[in-house]
Amino acid sequence: MDMNFANGPTRLPFSLIVYIIWATITIYGGICLSGGQKQSLTEGLSRGPLWNVVAAFLFLVAVILFAGWRDLKFVAPKPMSSLRIMWLPALYIVAFLGLAAAIGLPPIGLMLMILVSTLFVGLSEETMFRGILFQALRTRVNLWPAMIWTSVLFGSVHILNAVTTGELLNAMLQAFTATLSGFAFMAILVRTGSIWPAIIYHALWDFGTFSISAGQQSGSDIPTGDVGGWAFLLPVALVLPNFLYGVYLLRNVRNDDVLSTD
């Protein structure tokens, strides 16, 4: 059997094994950090850094060095293309931070904790999905199926958040919205030719949303808790422009393109 993990036929199976181990570290580590208690991600952040996410990312770094993968697009993006593409992500981040400020920012210590933790979330999840899994899928399928499968796998893993939060409905909703956002991250990678813009956008997206949630829990009378009634429409409506923008960015991308830009 060809054991060339970089480009051989074993790359996709090996990457799927890496994905399973990565998910186990992330989820089981979260359970250990919470002491087995059900808690939201924001509540977990209030107790300290997400060391499970840090450990999962370091695991991926070790795997990348072992496998010798050099095609994960940890390169500088093309400046002009990236500036044109990132206008909508920039608007999202400004809006999130503005809403967080209007609601009431959490204590500075918690804000820093959220910032560091979401940076590692962006690094870990983008490396796993838009890096390792996407490039592994590209060894077996065309570009569009690889992008779609990567986005679906990214979204579906969020269902596992129910293990630590105990909120299955919220986790399923998060899985759906993450699939939509994941497609936008995928589009940014393909159009810029670099994984770094997707990592930064992902990290700042989570930082903004977690800051809003932490601000609510710190004393705002804006209701939080399980999704119910028509409330499920809000997160879907929030990420839908993100998804549609991703579709727009990929309007001229063909199956035989290789991370083309313009």
Side-chain angles (χ1 to χ4, degrees), residues 121-210:
V121 169
L123 282 167
S124 182
E125 293 188 354
E126 291 305 308
T127 300
M128 182 69 256
F129 291 96
R130 257 65 62 179
I132 293 172
L133 274 182
F134 173 61
Q135 293 298 341
L137 284 165
R138 287 291 287 124
T139 67
R140 296 294 188 92
V141 299
N142 289 329
L143 182 59
W144 270 93
M147 292 190 296
I148 293 171
W149 273 111
T150 300
S151 301
V152 171
L153 287 169
F154 171 67
S156 61
V157 77
H158 287 76
I159 296 177
L160 297 178
N161 285 337
V163 176
T164 54
T165 65
E167 299 174 356
L168 179 59
L169 183 59
N170 278 354
M172 292 177 65
L173 176 60
Q174 187 181 19
F176 178 68
T177 57
T179 300
L180 298 182
S181 288
F183 192 78
F185 299 147
M186 188 80 263
I188 290 170
L189 166 65
V190 171
R191 287 296 304 274
T192 64
S194 170
I195 198 172
W196 287 114
I199 288 173
I200 294 170
Y201 184 26
H202 189 157
L204 290 178
W205 176 286
D206 286 351
F207 175 68
T209 55
F210 285 151

Side-chain angles (χ1 to χ4, degrees), residues 73-79 82 192-197:
K73 301 304 174 182
F74 283 98
V75 296
K78 294 177 172 59
S82 299
T192 64
S194 170
I195 198 172
W196 287 114

